[in-house]
Each structure stands twice: as C-alpha cells, then as structure tokens.
Amino acid sequence: MTLKTVSHLLAAILLAAAPFANAQEKAPKLDTSIDKVSFHIGMQIGNDLKRQGLEVAKPELIAAGIAASLAGQKSPVAQEEIRAAFEEIQKIVEAKQAEKAKVVLEAGEKFLAENKAKPGVKTTKSGLQYLVVKEGTGATPKASSTVTTHYRGTFIDGNKFDSSYEGDAPTAADQPATFPVSGVIKGWTEALQLMKVGAKYRLFIPSDLAYGPAGRPSIPPHSVLIFDLELLNVEE
C-alpha cells in the first residue's frame, strides 16, 4: 500500500477537531534511519491531508491503529460499525466542504463585482477582468502559440499560491514558465491573446475561467484567482 493510498483511506474518517496534543512542543529525536523514515512517512501523510483541506479528529488513534496493524492485531470494531462510521463521517465532511465552497463562491462574486468598477480594470465578455500594468511592443500570441512568462498567483485575500519568481522581487535565479497558450486555464488562454511580448497584466480570473467547483489540491473550489502576468516570449 502506497503512502497516497494510506492518506486517502485516512481522509475518509476525518473531522475538524482539536490539534494533536504536544505536537509542536518538542521536536522528536530522530537518531536512526528507521526514526527518520518513520517520521517522514507521518509528515507525508499529514501534508497530503492538509492539501485536501481536512483535519484529523484524533491523530493519536490513527497512530495507534497503524501500530496495531503492524503488530498483527485485529480491529476491535466490527466491519458493520466501521462502515456506518465511515458513512456518517463522510456526510459531515461533505457538508463542511460544501459550506466552505459556498463562502469562497460568495466572496469571489462580491470581489469581482467591486473590482470591475475600479479605475483601469477592463472586463471581457467571458467575465475575465484585467488591468494593463505595462503595454508590450512585441508579437501577440495565438491559441496555437507557445509562450514564456513570469507570473505570480494569489487569492483575493492576497495569499500567494504559485509563482515563477524565487522571491517577492525578480532576480537572476527566477525560472520563467513555458507552455502552450491552449494548455492552461481559460482565463490565461484568453488574456495571453490580448497581450504583446513585454506586456505586464494583472488578471482577475473568475472561478469558471480557472478551476471551477473542482478546485485543485492547493486551490479551494470556486476560487477567484489573481495573477500578475508578464509575457516574455512567443513561439509559433
């Protein structure tokens, strides 16, 4: 069983609850290779669960269950009880996720309604909003083009989720991204065909032109995304 499989199984029994007691009070001693690997496995499982936006109800019991399984012990809970518990928890998790998605959706709609009235912000027929920070003088991409860009992506609260820059300001260590114009989210595909090489735009992308109700591991469903996008090069 892979770590990903383990984390997916754990995700089915998750609830928002109190954090694991003493989890951050003292770093564990990792003297041996087994210590290090064991701790790393736990970190990977925890990170995967965090990416899914889920919290562990009682991590000490999850750890106890893993230990019991490795020791060859049988579960003290009947399969019928486990199945019923899974179904109950899954309903609670889905309800919590739906409520979070509703909050994100409403916040995004409010943001876009207010943002489109700001000076310099233009809105296309699709609903894409953009602000020209700097006009370019080079070629304009087509849907069939491949482009090289620098970008920084944030949520409407300002938190960054992705960037081609190493830090907050451009440096020689930055790694620009190259990709087909038609191979990205709809908001980018549309915006790139409005730009010329050398241009810098700030994009305000509605959820339906980004990742929609599905979201991504690091992007909640219905998220409005903001990108500072610089077009560096175009290849036909």
Side-chain angles (χ1 to χ4, degrees):
M1 182 177 291
T2 65
L3 290 176
K4 185 175 182 180
T5 301
V6 171
S7 67
H8 287 169
L9 288 174
L10 292 177
I13 55 169
L14 298 176
L15 271 172
F20 188 27
N22 303 321
Q24 298 183 8
E25 289 185 5
K26 185 178 179 182
K29 293 184 64 177
L30 307 175
D31 296 329
T32 69
S33 295
I34 291 179
D35 293 341
K36 296 171 184 176
V37 169
S38 298
F39 187 75
H40 180 68
I41 288 173
M43 288 290 292
Q44 284 190 299
I45 293 174
N47 287 337
D48 190 44
L49 296 176
K50 287 173 65 177
R51 282 193 295 270
Q52 297 177 52
L54 302 170
E55 296 174 315
V56 178
K58 293 185 178 179
E60 66 272 25
L61 291 181
I62 290 178
I66 293 173
S69 176
L70 294 175
Q73 300 176 14
K74 293 184 178 180
S75 173
V77 184
Q79 286 298 315
E80 291 77 10
E81 291 182 76
I82 294 175
R83 189 177 299 109
F86 268 49
E87 292 175 356
E88 179 183 352
I89 298 304
Q90 189 62 36
K91 289 179 181 178
I92 296 174
V93 169
E94 290 174 354
K96 291 175 70 66
Q97 290 174 335
E99 182 59 31
K100 288 182 179 179
K102 180 181 178 182
V103 170
V104 172
L105 177 63
E106 292 176 349
E109 291 175 343
K110 182 175 184 291
F111 172 85
L112 290 172
E114 296 174 351
N115 189 67
K116 69 180 181 181
K118 292 183 178 179
V121 174
K122 300 178 181 180
T123 304
T124 69
K125 290 182 179 180
S126 71
L128 171 69
Q129 297 180 8
Y130 67 96
L131 176 67
V132 178
V133 179
K134 175 187 174 184
E135 284 288 13
T137 58
T140 297
K142 301 175 183 177
S144 58
S145 301
T146 295
V147 296
T148 299
T149 72
H150 265 314
Y151 66 91
R152 179 180 291 106
T154 63
F155 298 112
I156 60 175
D157 62 4
N159 285 324
K160 182 176 69 175
F161 61 85
D162 195 12
S163 178
S164 66
Y165 299 107
E166 289 289 330
D168 293 331
T171 69
D174 296 336
Q175 295 293 321
T178 299
F179 48 84
V181 171
S182 60
V184 288
I185 58 175
K186 293 179 181 178
W188 270 46
T189 297
E190 180 180 356
L192 284 165
Q193 294 178 81
L194 301 173
M195 303 174 71
K196 294 181 179 180
V197 171
K200 294 182 180 180
Y201 281 19
R202 174 163 290 183
L203 311 179
F204 309 92
I205 304 181
S207 169
D208 61 341
L209 299 179
Y211 297 107
R216 284 293 185 274
S218 61
I219 299 176
H222 300 298
S223 292
V224 170
L225 305 181
I226 301 174
F227 285 97
D228 289 313
L229 180 62
E230 180 180 5
L231 181 57
L232 302 177
N233 187 49
V234 175
E235 297 177 12
E236 296 301 330

